[in-house]
Amino acid sequence: MREGRIIKVSGPLVVAEGLIGAKMYDLVRVGRERLMGEIIELRGETASIQVYEETVGLGPGDPVFDTEEPLSVELGPGLLQSIYDGVQRPLEVIRDKVGNFITRGVEAPGLDREKKWDFEPRVSKGDEVSPGDIIGAVQETAVTEHRIMVPPGIEGTVEEIYSGFFTVEEPVAIVKSKDGKRHTLTMLQRWPVRKPRPCKVKLAPFKPLTTGQRVVDTFFPIAKGGTACVPGPFGSGKTVIQHQFARWSDAQIIVFVGCGERGNEMTEVLIDFPELIDPYSGRPLMERTVLIANTSNMPVAAREASIYTGITIGEYFRDMGYDVALQADSTSRWAEALREISGRLEEMPGEEGYPAYLGSRAAAFYERAGKVVCLGKGNREGSLTAIGSVSPPGGDLSEPVTQATLRVVKVFWGLVDWLAYQRHFPSIDWLISYSLYLDKAQESWSEEIAPDFKDLRTEAMSILQREAELKEIVRLVGIEALSMHERIVMETAKSIREDFLQQNAYHELDTFTSLKKQYLMLKLIMTFHKYALEAVERDKPLQEIITAPVREKITRAKYVDENKLESFEDIEKEIKSELMVSSVVGGAEHA
Ligand SMILES: Nc1ncnc2c1ncn2[C@@H]1O[C@H](COP(=O)(O)OP(=O)(O)O)[C@@H](O)[C@H]1O
Ligand SMILES: [Mg+2]
């Protein structure tokens, strides 16, 4: 191991000299305690190192050792249900070793070295294998099969394949390559976090990821393998919506990267997540989840690394052929870490002090999401969806982190404080948000849900837009200025907002809505709209239309049990009958 000497310490940044032959992004061990660090700048023999642990007590002259390997994660059985820090150290193991505070220089491997897994082979002696081929599988949790793949770079004939209980370091197969070299395969792979894992081809994402959140699925859908950004000021609901995605998305694997905003926020996640029940299996959600937690007392550099640790784990599960969804909350903390380190490197600051490469780093991160054909036989497909929240100071969307993110992602859900103040949650502003996957999602709805779903959504959206214009008129000249027709538009818009878009994450029945039910709910509102307009034509008094008893049922439609969707038909009939009949009073007036 090459050894250098510290010449300067500046917060999380350490400058060392004498590391001859060191490479960018080499993992180094700093000081006598051997703290973890990474080379992020090299000038001749002088290396700038970001250190993932507190640097107090380090000083000039202390040794630095180059491991000559890049910062990597361990991939294999044991990832699921784990809670890691930003550099994949299991928080529990660390806590057991040293108590509640992460003490420095603690070595804890990402994967348990003692646990034995029941490895079931899927290839035979003599088979030809190449990278990505599945050689066996482990039932890692009750809900997830962990597929063991030939790592990139290894190709040849299976000379030995074993069956039974093994630790992640014990051999499960021996592969002999053409040049006669024997490779011992274990269930453990290592992969450098800053390098995307290879795949055969990237495909355009086309299938919607159903999240059970109505404003998302119906209005601004995200695709499996897509990218999205949730910017919003403090308290607007970013963390709640990210949790909802983790909980309800129809992805098989969830990777949640939490960068604490408030001191206790991650503590909540650490307590909440292990208690969540997976709605699809009835088992603990953690059985298909990997959690990466940066509490605010952890050093900035670990935060910088955490999103890469997370996305590498996500790619690895995608390689097995799974649909993976990654939530990063909030990426502003990552960008701030980048800014702090850049400042210490005395780089030329860009906008608001962020380095000029903020945009390219954000792009490189989101580009690792996608739908792919995985390496290996069988052309299995997998997807990795990346959803990042951003916390723009004061909710100002023109700030650099939001802008850099919006340039790369395909979906924008703009959370706004004026809706949050009104307790309209999720506080997604329907007038500023967009999804570039809408067309694809609509194609899939018309096949799987109903041919008119698309038209209902289009019509509902135009009513919401019309409402914004009409509100302006009302503000200037009063409600009397509106025609009866326009008054109905206002009523319907209100119904779309309150009965459809608003969704309470904490209500047992409202927290999740299937796509089918979303369609039925929207159909009710739009049916009411249609008949209300007709009734107006027939001179039915406005007051009677808007106070029709069935409206209460439309309002309560969100609480209809997913197993009792047939009741929507009855409500629809009631709408028709209540609005079709001319009332006695109305009739009398016109007589
Ligand atoms: N979908 C929702 N349903 C009900 N309440 C919500 C919802 N979204 C947000 N809230 C409320 O808003 C509060 C703040 O949300 P949070 O996600 O912590 O905001 P942020 O992460 O943007 O600071 C929550 O504690 C909750 O009371
Ligand atoms: Mg939050």
Short mmCIF file of all heavy atoms in Angstrom, two decimals, residues 213 232-241 244 261-262 265 329 415 423 425-427 503-506, ligand 1:
data_model
loop_
_atom_site.label_atom_id
_atom_site.label_comp_id
_atom_site.label_asym_id
_atom_site.label_seq_id
_atom_site.Cartn_x
_atom_site.Cartn_y
_atom_site.Cartn_z
N GLN A 213 -50.96 7.21 -6.03
CA GLN A 213 -51.19 8.62 -5.71
C GLN A 213 -51.89 9.23 -6.94
O GLN A 213 -51.32 9.28 -8.02
CB GLN A 213 -49.87 9.34 -5.39
CG GLN A 213 -49.00 8.59 -4.38
CD GLN A 213 -49.75 8.25 -3.10
OE1 GLN A 213 -50.24 9.13 -2.40
NE2 GLN A 213 -49.87 6.95 -2.78
N GLY A 232 -39.78 21.42 -3.65
CA GLY A 232 -40.79 22.05 -2.82
C GLY A 232 -40.16 22.65 -1.59
O GLY A 232 -39.16 22.12 -1.08
N PRO A 233 -40.73 23.76 -1.12
CA PRO A 233 -40.16 24.39 0.08
C PRO A 233 -40.34 23.50 1.31
O PRO A 233 -41.08 22.52 1.27
CB PRO A 233 -40.97 25.68 0.21
CG PRO A 233 -42.21 25.46 -0.57
CD PRO A 233 -41.88 24.48 -1.64
N PHE A 234 -39.68 23.87 2.35
CA PHE A 234 -39.74 23.16 3.62
C PHE A 234 -41.21 22.99 4.05
O PHE A 234 -41.99 23.94 3.99
CB PHE A 234 -38.97 23.98 4.65
CG PHE A 234 -38.93 23.34 5.99
CD1 PHE A 234 -38.13 22.24 6.23
CD2 PHE A 234 -39.71 23.84 7.02
CE1 PHE A 234 -38.10 21.64 7.47
CE2 PHE A 234 -39.69 23.25 8.27
CZ PHE A 234 -38.88 22.15 8.50
N GLY A 235 -41.58 21.77 4.42
CA GLY A 235 -42.93 21.53 4.93
C GLY A 235 -44.00 21.36 3.86
O GLY A 235 -45.18 21.27 4.17
N SER A 236 -43.60 21.28 2.58
CA SER A 236 -44.61 21.18 1.52
C SER A 236 -45.00 19.73 1.25
O SER A 236 -45.95 19.49 0.50
CB SER A 236 -44.10 21.85 0.25
OG SER A 236 -42.91 21.24 -0.19
N GLY A 237 -44.27 18.78 1.82
CA GLY A 237 -44.70 17.39 1.68
C GLY A 237 -43.78 16.49 0.85
O GLY A 237 -44.19 15.44 0.40
N LYS A 238 -42.51 16.89 0.69
CA LYS A 238 -41.58 16.08 -0.11
C LYS A 238 -41.34 14.72 0.53
O LYS A 238 -41.38 13.68 -0.13
CB LYS A 238 -40.23 16.81 -0.25
CG LYS A 238 -40.30 18.13 -0.97
CD LYS A 238 -38.95 18.80 -1.05
CE LYS A 238 -38.37 19.19 0.28
NZ LYS A 238 -39.14 20.25 0.98
N THR A 239 -41.07 14.74 1.83
CA THR A 239 -40.74 13.48 2.49
C THR A 239 -41.96 12.56 2.52
O THR A 239 -41.83 11.36 2.24
CB THR A 239 -40.20 13.76 3.90
OG1 THR A 239 -39.05 14.60 3.77
CG2 THR A 239 -39.82 12.48 4.61
N VAL A 240 -43.12 13.13 2.77
CA VAL A 240 -44.33 12.29 2.80
C VAL A 240 -44.56 11.64 1.44
O VAL A 240 -44.80 10.44 1.35
CB VAL A 240 -45.57 13.12 3.23
CG1 VAL A 240 -46.84 12.31 3.08
CG2 VAL A 240 -45.43 13.59 4.67
N ILE A 241 -44.42 12.40 0.37
CA ILE A 241 -44.71 11.80 -0.94
C ILE A 241 -43.65 10.76 -1.31
O ILE A 241 -43.97 9.71 -1.87
CB ILE A 241 -44.92 12.87 -2.05
CG1 ILE A 241 -45.76 12.24 -3.17
CG2 ILE A 241 -43.64 13.43 -2.60
CD1 ILE A 241 -46.37 13.20 -4.12
N GLN A 244 -44.60 7.72 0.39
CA GLN A 244 -45.74 7.10 -0.30
C GLN A 244 -45.26 6.31 -1.52
O GLN A 244 -45.75 5.22 -1.78
CB GLN A 244 -46.75 8.18 -0.73
CG GLN A 244 -47.52 8.82 0.41
CD GLN A 244 -48.45 7.84 1.11
OE1 GLN A 244 -48.04 7.11 2.00
NE2 GLN A 244 -49.69 7.80 0.69
N GLU A 261 -32.91 16.48 6.58
CA GLU A 261 -32.97 17.94 6.53
C GLU A 261 -32.97 18.48 7.94
O GLU A 261 -32.21 19.35 8.29
CB GLU A 261 -34.22 18.39 5.80
CG GLU A 261 -34.27 17.86 4.39
CD GLU A 261 -34.86 18.85 3.45
OE1 GLU A 261 -34.38 19.98 3.42
OE2 GLU A 261 -35.82 18.49 2.73
N ARG A 262 -33.90 17.92 8.74
CA ARG A 262 -33.92 18.31 10.14
C ARG A 262 -33.20 17.22 10.92
O ARG A 262 -33.10 16.08 10.46
CB ARG A 262 -35.37 18.38 10.62
CG ARG A 262 -36.10 19.61 10.15
CD ARG A 262 -37.59 19.40 10.24
NE ARG A 262 -38.07 18.61 9.12
CZ ARG A 262 -39.32 18.17 8.99
NH1 ARG A 262 -40.19 18.43 9.95
NH2 ARG A 262 -39.69 17.46 7.96
N GLU A 265 -35.28 14.06 11.47
CA GLU A 265 -36.05 13.53 10.35
C GLU A 265 -35.64 12.11 9.99
O GLU A 265 -36.49 11.25 9.76
CB GLU A 265 -35.92 14.44 9.14
CG GLU A 265 -36.98 14.17 8.11
CD GLU A 265 -36.99 15.24 7.03
OE1 GLU A 265 -35.91 15.72 6.66
OE2 GLU A 265 -38.08 15.60 6.60
N ASP A 329 -34.03 11.71 -0.93
CA ASP A 329 -34.71 12.82 -0.21
C ASP A 329 -33.74 13.42 0.80
O ASP A 329 -33.44 12.78 1.78
CB ASP A 329 -35.94 12.26 0.49
CG ASP A 329 -36.71 13.32 1.26
OD1 ASP A 329 -36.81 14.44 0.76
OD2 ASP A 329 -37.18 13.02 2.38
N LEU A 415 -44.18 21.00 -5.84
CA LEU A 415 -44.89 21.20 -4.57
C LEU A 415 -44.83 22.68 -4.23
O LEU A 415 -43.79 23.31 -4.35
CB LEU A 415 -44.24 20.39 -3.44
CG LEU A 415 -44.19 18.87 -3.60
CD1 LEU A 415 -43.62 18.23 -2.34
CD2 LEU A 415 -45.56 18.29 -3.89
N ARG A 423 -53.78 23.10 3.33
CA ARG A 423 -53.85 21.67 3.62
C ARG A 423 -54.34 20.89 2.42
O ARG A 423 -55.02 19.88 2.56
CB ARG A 423 -54.69 21.36 4.87
CG ARG A 423 -54.43 22.22 6.07
CD ARG A 423 -53.44 21.79 7.13
NE ARG A 423 -53.16 20.40 7.37
CZ ARG A 423 -51.92 19.93 7.61
NH1 ARG A 423 -50.88 20.75 7.58
NH2 ARG A 423 -51.72 18.68 7.87
N PHE A 425 -53.12 18.46 0.13
CA PHE A 425 -52.00 17.52 -0.05
C PHE A 425 -52.39 16.40 -0.99
O PHE A 425 -53.55 16.00 -0.97
CB PHE A 425 -51.60 16.92 1.32
CG PHE A 425 -50.94 17.88 2.24
CD1 PHE A 425 -51.53 18.20 3.45
CD2 PHE A 425 -49.73 18.47 1.91
CE1 PHE A 425 -50.92 19.09 4.32
CE2 PHE A 425 -49.11 19.36 2.77
CZ PHE A 425 -49.72 19.67 3.98
N PRO A 426 -51.45 15.88 -1.76
CA PRO A 426 -50.09 16.36 -2.00
C PRO A 426 -50.16 17.76 -2.64
O PRO A 426 -50.99 17.97 -3.51
CB PRO A 426 -49.52 15.36 -2.99
CG PRO A 426 -50.45 14.18 -2.99
CD PRO A 426 -51.77 14.68 -2.55
N SER A 427 -49.29 18.65 -2.19
CA SER A 427 -49.40 20.04 -2.62
C SER A 427 -48.75 20.27 -3.99
O SER A 427 -47.98 21.19 -4.20
CB SER A 427 -48.78 20.96 -1.57
OG SER A 427 -47.39 20.75 -1.51
N GLN A 503 -55.33 14.03 -1.44
CA GLN A 503 -55.27 12.64 -1.01
C GLN A 503 -54.51 12.58 0.31
O GLN A 503 -53.37 13.03 0.39
CB GLN A 503 -54.57 11.82 -2.09
CG GLN A 503 -54.60 10.34 -1.84
CD GLN A 503 -54.13 9.53 -3.04
OE1 GLN A 503 -53.73 10.08 -4.07
NE2 GLN A 503 -54.14 8.22 -2.90
N ASN A 504 -55.16 12.04 1.29
CA ASN A 504 -54.57 12.02 2.63
C ASN A 504 -53.71 10.78 2.83
O ASN A 504 -54.21 9.65 2.85
CB ASN A 504 -55.70 12.06 3.66
CG ASN A 504 -55.17 12.16 5.08
OD1 ASN A 504 -53.97 12.05 5.31
ND2 ASN A 504 -56.06 12.38 6.02
N ALA A 505 -52.41 11.00 2.97
CA ALA A 505 -51.48 9.90 3.13
C ALA A 505 -51.73 9.12 4.41
O ALA A 505 -51.32 7.96 4.53
CB ALA A 505 -50.05 10.44 3.13
N TYR A 506 -52.40 9.74 5.37
CA TYR A 506 -52.57 9.08 6.67
C TYR A 506 -53.92 8.41 6.83
O TYR A 506 -54.23 7.88 7.88
CB TYR A 506 -52.36 10.10 7.80
CG TYR A 506 -51.02 10.76 7.70
CD1 TYR A 506 -50.90 12.12 7.39
CD2 TYR A 506 -49.85 10.03 7.91
CE1 TYR A 506 -49.65 12.72 7.28
CE2 TYR A 506 -48.61 10.62 7.79
CZ TYR A 506 -48.52 11.97 7.48
OH TYR A 506 -47.29 12.55 7.36
N1 LIG B 1 -50.28 13.51 1.33
C1 LIG B 1 -50.36 14.07 2.56
N2 LIG B 1 -51.40 13.79 3.36
C2 LIG B 1 -51.52 14.34 4.57
N3 LIG B 1 -50.63 15.18 5.09
C3 LIG B 1 -49.56 15.51 4.37
C4 LIG B 1 -49.37 14.97 3.06
N4 LIG B 1 -48.23 15.47 2.57
C5 LIG B 1 -47.73 16.29 3.53
N5 LIG B 1 -48.52 16.32 4.61
C6 LIG B 1 -48.31 17.12 5.84
O1 LIG B 1 -47.24 18.05 5.64
C7 LIG B 1 -46.23 17.88 6.63
C8 LIG B 1 -44.88 18.20 6.07
O2 LIG B 1 -44.53 17.25 5.10
P1 LIG B 1 -43.01 16.83 4.82
O3 LIG B 1 -43.07 15.73 3.82
O4 LIG B 1 -42.28 16.55 6.06
O5 LIG B 1 -42.45 18.16 4.15
P2 LIG B 1 -40.99 18.43 3.54
O6 LIG B 1 -40.27 17.12 3.46
O7 LIG B 1 -41.27 19.02 2.19
O8 LIG B 1 -40.34 19.41 4.44
C9 LIG B 1 -46.42 16.46 7.10
O9 LIG B 1 -45.94 16.26 8.38
C10 LIG B 1 -47.91 16.27 7.00
O10 LIG B 1 -48.55 16.78 8.14
#
